């Protein structure tokens, strides 16, 4: 089963917009964001649309069109991003009802509901405590560690 990457894509896009803003670029096109995420611009526009509806990014139309953060990166939490992209609960139960004649089948859903509910509460607290600024900071630290190994590429694979 494939994991849902909507939260990852949205967080990546926001971190890239935050870095661009820090470097003096107020807007990026969906194509520029897609180049960093290494995906299709249509997927990025869909994700940015979710983030816009949640008030996390804004769009500029016409000359100088593009996307920008609606708030400072330190004020946008990953929980807001998670809720904006409707990433769904981290765990799902059976798609069909388990066998009610089986003792495990009868009691598995309530047992897992409790465990999964507690895990989701912890996850939501951690997401609420993590901002886009935190993610960007950690990404840049990790990028520096890679560069010390001899890779001299800049953002999106460009040479510095």
């Amino acid at each position: 089963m494939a994991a849902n990457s909507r939260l990852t894509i949205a967080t990546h896009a926001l971190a890239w917009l935050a870095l661009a803003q820090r470097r003096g670029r107020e807007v990026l096109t969906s194509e520029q964001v897609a180049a960093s995420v290494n995906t299709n611009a249509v997927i990025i526009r869909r994700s940015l649309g979710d983030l816009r509806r949640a008030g996390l990014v804004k769009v500029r139309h016409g000359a100088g069109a593009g996307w920008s953060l609606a708030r400072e990166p330190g004020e946008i939490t990953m929980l807001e991003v998670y809720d904006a992209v409707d990433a769904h609960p981290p765990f799902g139960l059976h798609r069909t009802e388990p066998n009610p004649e089986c003792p495990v089948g009868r009691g598995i859903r309530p047992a897992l509901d409790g465990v999964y509910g507690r895990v989701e509460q912890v996850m939501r607290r951690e997401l609420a405590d993590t901002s886009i600024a935190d993610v960007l900071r950690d990404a840049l630290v990790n990028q520096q560690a890679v560069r010390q190994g001899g890779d001299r590429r800049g953002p999106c694979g460009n040479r510095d």
Side-chain angles (χ1 to χ4, degrees), residues 86-144:
D86 190 30
H88 302 293
F91 305 104
L93 294 174
H94 306 83
R95 291 181 190 260
T96 61
E97 189 67 35
N99 183 349
E101 302 301 317
C102 172
V104 173
R106 273 193 307 275
I108 194 73
R109 282 184 174 214
L112 291 176
D113 267 341
V115 172
Y116 293 168
R118 290 188 300 277
V119 168
E120 186 167 9
Q121 286 175 350
V122 170
M123 179 196 73
R124 289 181 72 81
R125 278 195 302 270
E126 183 65 27
L127 292 174
D129 290 342
T130 305
S131 72
I132 293 303
D134 297 330
V135 172
L136 176 58
R137 180 196 65 234
D138 292 349
L140 294 176
V141 166
N142 292 333
Q143 184 244 356
Q144 281 301 107

